[in-house]
Amino acid sequence: MANYRLDLQYEGTRYDGWQKQGNTKNTIQGRLETLLGEYCKEEIALIGSGRTDAGAHAAGQVANFHTTKKLDEEDLRDYLNDHLPGDIGVTKVQAVEEAFHARHHASQKVYVYRVWNSRVKNVLEGRYLFQSPEELDLEQMKQAAAHLVGTHDFRSFCANGRMKKSTVRTVFSIDIQRIGEEVRLTFCGNGFLYNMVRMMAGTLLQVGEGKLLPEEMPSILEQKNRQAAGVTLPAKGLLLQSVSYGDSPKS
Amino acid sequence: MANYRLDLQYEGTRYDGWQKQGNTKNTIQGRLETLLGEYCKEEIALIGSGRTDAGAHAAGQVANFHTTKKLDEEDLRDYLNDHLPGDIGVTKVQAVEEAFHARHHASQKVYVYRVWNSRVKNVLEGRYLFQSPEELDLEQMKQAAAHLVGTHDFRSFCANGRMKKSTVRTVFSIDIQRIGEEVRLTFCGNGFLYNMVRMMAGTLLQVGEGKLLPEEMPSILEQKNRQAAGVTLPAKGLLLQSVSYGDSPKS
């Protein structure tokens, strides 16, 4: 079987997220599988590096699929881009070794959460920003973020309360910077739980607003209870920036 | 009469341009006048710095209107932003002297034309980019642009063939730069004719593709004939970046 890796971008506004659910075809995965099936003339199962939420965006999602066919990479890329709607795009198609698995072999993911910290809405980039006009203390946010970096049980930051698998993840870094009226939070980790980035961003925003203290972060983690953490910010501010594959099998 | 200046942003994709035409309400001007009329409880005529084409965008459009009412600037700004659709925004409302006229007193306009110079579509910023995959020689484009800078009769770059008024304009500068896969053309001038920026961008792109030579620019200008110039690029790549008011009366 041949194995192909797709590098993908999408503006998630119109979609019910990455993953096919029941009969809904309005997912990124669903749209791609339909077109891949037509191109390959066989049923295709597309494996994403992970789900992204309804309304969240991606600049560097990665997926792979197996097929009995030998494909021309550029031709497939152009076919998909020609047939996909304008808000989904394929930046690269690449033959990879048969064992490559977009989810299992992902070693690092970078998510960006963009806050538009102004009373005045941003029209030109509004669909990628969550607007929050309250004044933010970035130093406090950075102190709080430092407590979340590292290997922890992030159950308090998991929207799936009945999660059976391990909720331990490693956050390599959380970068917080102001770019004009934007406050950009960049999360780098080996993986993230359901809604984890949006909850960490919400919790850090509440720290910035003075509603939570940096020193409360260890206790929030220790409680292993979703009620302990702060609010979940809307998906529209969330972007999957990139997925890295460091371990063998190499992509 | 009080006089108020509005600084505006819009994503023009859904609109029939700035200016009200006949009965269509689907213009930026029309949307704003309706809301201003409701807010001021009197009919409002909004004066823009100039028209922008259907589908073109603005980061810094300027307009003004007169009213018998004394208005609170921040309250009006927030009212408009709350009631406007998401793709039109007001960044500032400012009381100005009665004589200020957004069109007559504009001394400089900056337009940006963004070309996505890649075979692979840009999903996240696609609505602000014109995609053209052909290889571009930026040095040739810069040489051609230098011929267009200055005070010239730009009739060859005017889509309105029956233009009765002067077609002489001064282009202060044309900057051309590559930013990754984007080629960004920035035009600064005292004013631009109907479709003039899109035609200059199209002509420069044809120079970049080797279809026209920089030395042909003087002849194109001299012919004073729209057929002499190159193609008109689509409006979606065009952004009105800013409008400046240098002369009295000060805004």
PDB file of all heavy atoms in Angstrom, chain A residues 28-58:
ATOM      1  N   ILE A  28     -13.887  18.850   7.885  1.00  0.00           N
ATOM      2  CA  ILE A  28     -12.723  18.935   7.002  1.00  0.00           C
ATOM      3  C   ILE A  28     -12.355  17.525   6.529  1.00  0.00           C
ATOM      4  O   ILE A  28     -12.144  17.288   5.337  1.00  0.00           O
ATOM      5  CB  ILE A  28     -11.523  19.574   7.748  1.00  0.00           C
ATOM      6  CG1 ILE A  28     -11.943  20.756   8.635  1.00  0.00           C
ATOM      7  CG2 ILE A  28     -10.426  19.939   6.763  1.00  0.00           C
ATOM      8  CD1 ILE A  28     -12.388  21.971   7.950  1.00  0.00           C
ATOM      9  N   GLN A  29     -12.311  16.606   7.485  1.00  0.00           N
ATOM     10  CA  GLN A  29     -11.975  15.222   7.139  1.00  0.00           C
ATOM     11  C   GLN A  29     -12.954  14.657   6.105  1.00  0.00           C
ATOM     12  O   GLN A  29     -12.545  14.042   5.113  1.00  0.00           O
ATOM     13  CB  GLN A  29     -12.023  14.375   8.419  1.00  0.00           C
ATOM     14  CG  GLN A  29     -11.597  12.941   8.234  1.00  0.00           C
ATOM     15  CD  GLN A  29     -11.860  12.097   9.486  1.00  0.00           C
ATOM     16  OE1 GLN A  29     -12.839  12.324  10.207  1.00  0.00           O
ATOM     17  NE2 GLN A  29     -10.979  11.155   9.749  1.00  0.00           N
ATOM     18  N   GLY A  30     -14.242  14.914   6.321  1.00  0.00           N
ATOM     19  CA  GLY A  30     -15.266  14.405   5.410  1.00  0.00           C
ATOM     20  C   GLY A  30     -15.102  14.951   3.997  1.00  0.00           C
ATOM     21  O   GLY A  30     -15.177  14.204   3.014  1.00  0.00           O
ATOM     22  N   ARG A  31     -14.872  16.255   3.898  1.00  0.00           N
ATOM     23  CA  ARG A  31     -14.688  16.874   2.582  1.00  0.00           C
ATOM     24  C   ARG A  31     -13.498  16.260   1.844  1.00  0.00           C
ATOM     25  O   ARG A  31     -13.560  15.977   0.645  1.00  0.00           O
ATOM     26  CB  ARG A  31     -14.421  18.381   2.743  1.00  0.00           C
ATOM     27  CG  ARG A  31     -15.622  19.160   3.232  1.00  0.00           C
ATOM     28  CD  ARG A  31     -16.623  19.346   2.102  1.00  0.00           C
ATOM     29  NE  ARG A  31     -17.679  20.246   2.499  1.00  0.00           N
ATOM     30  CZ  ARG A  31     -18.157  21.220   1.732  1.00  0.00           C
ATOM     31  NH1 ARG A  31     -17.655  21.422   0.528  1.00  0.00           N
ATOM     32  NH2 ARG A  31     -19.128  21.996   2.150  1.00  0.00           N
ATOM     33  N   LEU A  32     -12.406  16.077   2.600  1.00  0.00           N
ATOM     34  CA  LEU A  32     -11.200  15.545   1.970  1.00  0.00           C
ATOM     35  C   LEU A  32     -11.372  14.086   1.580  1.00  0.00           C
ATOM     36  O   LEU A  32     -10.983  13.671   0.477  1.00  0.00           O
ATOM     37  CB  LEU A  32     -10.007  15.713   2.917  1.00  0.00           C
ATOM     38  CG  LEU A  32      -9.463  17.140   2.993  1.00  0.00           C
ATOM     39  CD1 LEU A  32      -8.646  17.343   4.268  1.00  0.00           C
ATOM     40  CD2 LEU A  32      -8.592  17.440   1.764  1.00  0.00           C
ATOM     41  N   GLU A  33     -11.971  13.288   2.446  1.00  0.00           N
ATOM     42  CA  GLU A  33     -12.144  11.862   2.139  1.00  0.00           C
ATOM     43  C   GLU A  33     -12.996  11.659   0.897  1.00  0.00           C
ATOM     44  O   GLU A  33     -12.728  10.776   0.072  1.00  0.00           O
ATOM     45  CB  GLU A  33     -12.757  11.129   3.331  1.00  0.00           C
ATOM     46  CG  GLU A  33     -11.737  10.872   4.448  1.00  0.00           C
ATOM     47  CD  GLU A  33     -12.308  10.022   5.565  1.00  0.00           C
ATOM     48  OE1 GLU A  33     -13.534   9.797   5.586  1.00  0.00           O
ATOM     49  OE2 GLU A  33     -11.518   9.601   6.444  1.00  0.00           O
ATOM     50  N   THR A  34     -14.033  12.474   0.747  1.00  0.00           N
ATOM     51  CA  THR A  34     -14.893  12.365  -0.431  1.00  0.00           C
ATOM     52  C   THR A  34     -14.086  12.597  -1.709  1.00  0.00           C
ATOM     53  O   THR A  34     -14.146  11.813  -2.663  1.00  0.00           O
ATOM     54  CB  THR A  34     -16.038  13.390  -0.339  1.00  0.00           C
ATOM     55  OG1 THR A  34     -16.785  13.120   0.852  1.00  0.00           O
ATOM     56  CG2 THR A  34     -16.958  13.304  -1.552  1.00  0.00           C
ATOM     57  N   LEU A  35     -13.288  13.695  -1.703  1.00  0.00           N
ATOM     58  CA  LEU A  35     -12.500  14.009  -2.898  1.00  0.00           C
ATOM     59  C   LEU A  35     -11.398  12.983  -3.142  1.00  0.00           C
ATOM     60  O   LEU A  35     -11.122  12.601  -4.282  1.00  0.00           O
ATOM     61  CB  LEU A  35     -11.892  15.403  -2.773  1.00  0.00           C
ATOM     62  CG  LEU A  35     -12.850  16.568  -3.000  1.00  0.00           C
ATOM     63  CD1 LEU A  35     -12.164  17.878  -2.679  1.00  0.00           C
ATOM     64  CD2 LEU A  35     -13.348  16.573  -4.450  1.00  0.00           C
ATOM     65  N   LEU A  36     -10.764  12.523  -2.067  1.00  0.00           N
ATOM     66  CA  LEU A  36      -9.713  11.519  -2.214  1.00  0.00           C
ATOM     67  C   LEU A  36     -10.292  10.229  -2.784  1.00  0.00           C
ATOM     68  O   LEU A  36      -9.674   9.571  -3.622  1.00  0.00           O
ATOM     69  CB  LEU A  36      -9.037  11.260  -0.862  1.00  0.00           C
ATOM     70  CG  LEU A  36      -8.112  12.377  -0.360  1.00  0.00           C
ATOM     71  CD1 LEU A  36      -7.746  12.169   1.111  1.00  0.00           C
ATOM     72  CD2 LEU A  36      -6.840  12.463  -1.217  1.00  0.00           C
ATOM     73  N   GLY A  37     -11.497   9.878  -2.321  1.00  0.00           N
ATOM     74  CA  GLY A  37     -12.165   8.682  -2.838  1.00  0.00           C
ATOM     75  C   GLY A  37     -12.434   8.798  -4.334  1.00  0.00           C
ATOM     76  O   GLY A  37     -12.229   7.850  -5.092  1.00  0.00           O
ATOM     77  N   GLU A  38     -12.880  10.001  -4.756  1.00  0.00           N
ATOM     78  CA  GLU A  38     -13.152  10.213  -6.173  1.00  0.00           C
ATOM     79  C   GLU A  38     -11.857  10.139  -6.994  1.00  0.00           C
ATOM     80  O   GLU A  38     -11.826   9.564  -8.076  1.00  0.00           O
ATOM     81  CB  GLU A  38     -13.824  11.581  -6.383  1.00  0.00           C
ATOM     82  CG  GLU A  38     -15.294  11.578  -5.971  1.00  0.00           C
ATOM     83  CD  GLU A  38     -15.882  12.980  -5.842  1.00  0.00           C
ATOM     84  OE1 GLU A  38     -15.296  13.937  -6.398  1.00  0.00           O
ATOM     85  OE2 GLU A  38     -16.917  13.116  -5.182  1.00  0.00           O
ATOM     86  N   TYR A  39     -10.805  10.704  -6.452  1.00  0.00           N
ATOM     87  CA  TYR A  39      -9.518  10.733  -7.167  1.00  0.00           C
ATOM     88  C   TYR A  39      -8.915   9.330  -7.273  1.00  0.00           C
ATOM     89  O   TYR A  39      -8.431   8.927  -8.327  1.00  0.00           O
ATOM     90  CB  TYR A  39      -8.557  11.675  -6.446  1.00  0.00           C
ATOM     91  CG  TYR A  39      -7.259  11.924  -7.177  1.00  0.00           C
ATOM     92  CD1 TYR A  39      -7.163  12.922  -8.141  1.00  0.00           C
ATOM     93  CD2 TYR A  39      -6.125  11.173  -6.891  1.00  0.00           C
ATOM     94  CE1 TYR A  39      -5.976  13.166  -8.811  1.00  0.00           C
ATOM     95  CE2 TYR A  39      -4.923  11.401  -7.554  1.00  0.00           C
ATOM     96  CZ  TYR A  39      -4.855  12.400  -8.516  1.00  0.00           C
ATOM     97  OH  TYR A  39      -3.676  12.636  -9.164  1.00  0.00           O
ATOM     98  N   CYS A  40      -8.961   8.613  -6.140  1.00  0.00           N
ATOM     99  CA  CYS A  40      -8.312   7.294  -6.092  1.00  0.00           C
ATOM    100  C   CYS A  40      -9.238   6.177  -6.598  1.00  0.00           C
ATOM    101  O   CYS A  40      -8.790   5.055  -6.810  1.00  0.00           O
ATOM    102  CB  CYS A  40      -7.879   6.964  -4.664  1.00  0.00           C
ATOM    103  SG  CYS A  40      -6.646   8.106  -4.002  1.00  0.00           S
ATOM    104  N   LYS A  41     -10.513   6.488  -6.755  1.00  0.00           N
ATOM    105  CA  LYS A  41     -11.512   5.505  -7.172  1.00  0.00           C
ATOM    106  C   LYS A  41     -11.537   4.301  -6.231  1.00  0.00           C
ATOM    107  O   LYS A  41     -11.697   3.147  -6.652  1.00  0.00           O
ATOM    108  CB  LYS A  41     -11.272   5.072  -8.627  1.00  0.00           C
ATOM    109  CG  LYS A  41     -11.431   6.250  -9.598  1.00  0.00           C
ATOM    110  CD  LYS A  41     -11.321   5.833 -11.051  1.00  0.00           C
ATOM    111  CE  LYS A  41     -11.569   7.002 -11.987  1.00  0.00           C
ATOM    112  NZ  LYS A  41     -10.617   8.145 -11.766  1.00  0.00           N
ATOM    113  N   GLU A  42     -11.356   4.602  -4.934  1.00  0.00           N
ATOM    114  CA  GLU A  42     -11.548   3.591  -3.897  1.00  0.00           C
ATOM    115  C   GLU A  42     -11.816   4.341  -2.607  1.00  0.00           C
ATOM    116  O   GLU A  42     -11.516   5.538  -2.500  1.00  0.00           O
ATOM    117  CB  GLU A  42     -10.307   2.686  -3.766  1.00  0.00           C
ATOM    118  CG  GLU A  42      -9.053   3.436  -3.350  1.00  0.00           C
ATOM    119  CD  GLU A  42      -7.811   2.544  -3.370  1.00  0.00           C
ATOM    120  OE1 GLU A  42      -7.921   1.347  -3.652  1.00  0.00           O
ATOM    121  OE2 GLU A  42      -6.719   3.072  -3.100  1.00  0.00           O
ATOM    122  N   GLU A  43     -12.370   3.641  -1.621  1.00  0.00           N
ATOM    123  CA  GLU A  43     -12.683   4.317  -0.374  1.00  0.00           C
ATOM    124  C   GLU A  43     -11.397   4.676   0.376  1.00  0.00           C
ATOM    125  O   GLU A  43     -10.491   3.858   0.489  1.00  0.00           O
ATOM    126  CB  GLU A  43     -13.589   3.437   0.494  1.00  0.00           C
ATOM    127  CG  GLU A  43     -14.369   4.234   1.520  1.00  0.00           C
ATOM    128  CD  GLU A  43     -15.457   3.392   2.179  1.00  0.00           C
ATOM    129  OE1 GLU A  43     -16.180   2.674   1.436  1.00  0.00           O
ATOM    130  OE2 GLU A  43     -15.556   3.436   3.408  1.00  0.00           O
ATOM    131  N   ILE A  44     -11.321   5.899   0.855  1.00  0.00           N
ATOM    132  CA  ILE A  44     -10.112   6.374   1.531  1.00  0.00           C
ATOM    133  C   ILE A  44     -10.448   6.755   2.972  1.00  0.00           C
ATOM    134  O   ILE A  44     -11.442   7.440   3.237  1.00  0.00           O
ATOM    135  CB  ILE A  44      -9.537   7.615   0.799  1.00  0.00           C
ATOM    136  CG1 ILE A  44      -9.105   7.260  -0.630  1.00  0.00           C
ATOM    137  CG2 ILE A  44      -8.387   8.239   1.589  1.00  0.00           C
ATOM    138  CD1 ILE A  44      -7.949   6.283  -0.731  1.00  0.00           C
ATOM    139  N   ALA A  45      -9.605   6.318   3.896  1.00  0.00           N
ATOM    140  CA  ALA A  45      -9.721   6.731   5.299  1.00  0.00           C
ATOM    141  C   ALA A  45      -8.559   7.670   5.606  1.00  0.00           C
ATOM    142  O   ALA A  45      -7.395   7.306   5.460  1.00  0.00           O
ATOM    143  CB  ALA A  45      -9.678   5.511   6.213  1.00  0.00           C
ATOM    144  N   LEU A  46      -8.883   8.897   5.979  1.00  0.00           N
ATOM    145  CA  LEU A  46      -7.864   9.916   6.207  1.00  0.00           C
ATOM    146  C   LEU A  46      -7.599  10.039   7.710  1.00  0.00           C
ATOM    147  O   LEU A  46      -8.528  10.214   8.500  1.00  0.00           O
ATOM    148  CB  LEU A  46      -8.352  11.257   5.645  1.00  0.00           C
ATOM    149  CG  LEU A  46      -7.360  12.411   5.642  1.00  0.00           C
ATOM    150  CD1 LEU A  46      -6.168  12.112   4.741  1.00  0.00           C
ATOM    151  CD2 LEU A  46      -8.064  13.694   5.168  1.00  0.00           C
ATOM    152  N   ILE A  47      -6.320   9.938   8.068  1.00  0.00           N
ATOM    153  CA  ILE A  47      -5.925  10.013   9.485  1.00  0.00           C
ATOM    154  C   ILE A  47      -5.339  11.399   9.748  1.00  0.00           C
ATOM    155  O   ILE A  47      -4.329  11.769   9.164  1.00  0.00           O
ATOM    156  CB  ILE A  47      -4.860   8.943   9.801  1.00  0.00           C
ATOM    157  CG1 ILE A  47      -5.405   7.546   9.509  1.00  0.00           C
ATOM    158  CG2 ILE A  47      -4.372   9.075  11.239  1.00  0.00           C
ATOM    159  CD1 ILE A  47      -4.305   6.506   9.301  1.00  0.00           C
ATOM    160  N   GLY A  48      -5.978  12.178  10.623  1.00  0.00           N
ATOM    161  CA  GLY A  48      -5.453  13.502  10.968  1.00  0.00           C
ATOM    162  C   GLY A  48      -4.519  13.414  12.157  1.00  0.00           C
ATOM    163  O   GLY A  48      -4.560  12.453  12.928  1.00  0.00           O
ATOM    164  N   SER A  49      -3.673  14.437  12.329  1.00  0.00           N
ATOM    165  CA  SER A  49      -2.763  14.453  13.488  1.00  0.00           C
ATOM    166  C   SER A  49      -3.559  14.566  14.771  1.00  0.00           C
ATOM    167  O   SER A  49      -3.089  14.220  15.848  1.00  0.00           O
ATOM    168  CB  SER A  49      -1.810  15.637  13.387  1.00  0.00           C
ATOM    169  OG  SER A  49      -2.475  16.847  13.728  1.00  0.00           O
ATOM    170  N   GLY A  50      -4.783  15.067  14.644  1.00  0.00           N
ATOM    171  CA  GLY A  50      -5.666  15.205  15.782  1.00  0.00           C
ATOM    172  C   GLY A  50      -6.888  15.963  15.328  1.00  0.00           C
ATOM    173  O   GLY A  50      -6.909  16.531  14.234  1.00  0.00           O
ATOM    174  N   ARG A  51      -7.918  15.959  16.164  1.00  0.00           N
ATOM    175  CA  ARG A  51      -9.130  16.703  15.827  1.00  0.00           C
ATOM    176  C   ARG A  51      -8.864  18.183  16.042  1.00  0.00           C
ATOM    177  O   ARG A  51      -8.102  18.559  16.924  1.00  0.00           O
ATOM    178  CB  ARG A  51     -10.272  16.312  16.767  1.00  0.00           C
ATOM    179  CG  ARG A  51     -10.491  14.840  16.872  1.00  0.00           C
ATOM    180  CD  ARG A  51     -11.547  14.556  17.924  1.00  0.00           C
ATOM    181  NE  ARG A  51     -11.544  13.133  18.253  1.00  0.00           N
ATOM    182  CZ  ARG A  51     -12.418  12.558  19.074  1.00  0.00           C
ATOM    183  NH1 ARG A  51     -13.355  13.291  19.665  1.00  0.00           N
ATOM    184  NH2 ARG A  51     -12.354  11.272  19.312  1.00  0.00           N
ATOM    185  N   THR A  52      -9.509  19.007  15.262  1.00  0.00           N
ATOM    186  CA  THR A  52      -9.603  20.407  15.657  1.00  0.00           C
ATOM    187  C   THR A  52     -11.091  20.700  15.830  1.00  0.00           C
ATOM    188  O   THR A  52     -11.944  20.084  15.186  1.00  0.00           O
ATOM    189  CB  THR A  52      -8.970  21.363  14.619  1.00  0.00           C
ATOM    190  OG1 THR A  52      -9.517  21.090  13.335  1.00  0.00           O
ATOM    191  CG2 THR A  52      -7.459  21.194  14.558  1.00  0.00           C
ATOM    192  N   ASP A  53     -11.393  21.621  16.743  1.00  0.00           N
ATOM    193  CA  ASP A  53     -12.783  21.910  17.108  1.00  0.00           C
ATOM    194  C   ASP A  53     -13.544  22.601  15.990  1.00  0.00           C
ATOM    195  O   ASP A  53     -12.952  23.244  15.122  1.00  0.00           O
ATOM    196  CB  ASP A  53     -12.827  22.857  18.316  1.00  0.00           C
ATOM    197  CG  ASP A  53     -12.123  22.278  19.526  1.00  0.00           C
ATOM    198  OD1 ASP A  53     -12.022  21.041  19.614  1.00  0.00           O
ATOM    199  OD2 ASP A  53     -11.693  23.074  20.383  1.00  0.00           O
ATOM    200  N   ALA A  54     -14.861  22.507  16.047  1.00  0.00           N
ATOM    201  CA  ALA A  54     -15.715  23.280  15.145  1.00  0.00           C
ATOM    202  C   ALA A  54     -15.348  24.756  15.275  1.00  0.00           C
ATOM    203  O   ALA A  54     -15.289  25.296  16.383  1.00  0.00           O
ATOM    204  CB  ALA A  54     -17.182  23.073  15.508  1.00  0.00           C
ATOM    205  N   GLY A  55     -15.048  25.392  14.145  1.00  0.00           N
ATOM    206  CA  GLY A  55     -14.733  26.822  14.164  1.00  0.00           C
ATOM    207  C   GLY A  55     -13.271  27.151  14.338  1.00  0.00           C
ATOM    208  O   GLY A  55     -12.859  28.295  14.122  1.00  0.00           O
ATOM    209  N   ALA A  56     -12.453  26.158  14.715  1.00  0.00           N
ATOM    210  CA  ALA A  56     -11.015  26.406  14.852  1.00  0.00           C
ATOM    211  C   ALA A  56     -10.339  26.282  13.488  1.00  0.00           C
ATOM    212  O   ALA A  56     -10.870  25.657  12.570  1.00  0.00           O
ATOM    213  CB  ALA A  56     -10.390  25.432  15.848  1.00  0.00           C
ATOM    214  N   HIS A  57      -9.167  26.879  13.379  1.00  0.00           N
ATOM    215  CA  HIS A  57      -8.469  26.981  12.093  1.00  0.00           C
ATOM    216  C   HIS A  57      -7.151  26.202  12.114  1.00  0.00           C
ATOM    217  O   HIS A  57      -6.658  25.842  13.176  1.00  0.00           O
ATOM    218  CB  HIS A  57      -8.192  28.448  11.787  1.00  0.00           C
ATOM    219  CG  HIS A  57      -9.325  29.359  12.125  1.00  0.00           C
ATOM    220  ND1 HIS A  57     -10.479  29.397  11.379  1.00  0.00           N
ATOM    221  CD2 HIS A  57      -9.519  30.235  13.151  1.00  0.00           C
ATOM    222  CE1 HIS A  57     -11.322  30.263  11.902  1.00  0.00           C
ATOM    223  NE2 HIS A  57     -10.762  30.795  12.991  1.00  0.00           N
ATOM    224  N   ALA A  58      -6.584  26.010  10.939  1.00  0.00           N
ATOM    225  CA  ALA A  58      -5.288  25.346  10.861  1.00  0.00           C
ATOM    226  C   ALA A  58      -4.431  25.963   9.768  1.00  0.00           C
ATOM    227  O   ALA A  58      -4.904  26.208   8.659  1.00  0.00           O
ATOM    228  CB  ALA A  58      -5.462  23.849  10.598  1.00  0.00           C
TER     229      ALA A  58
END
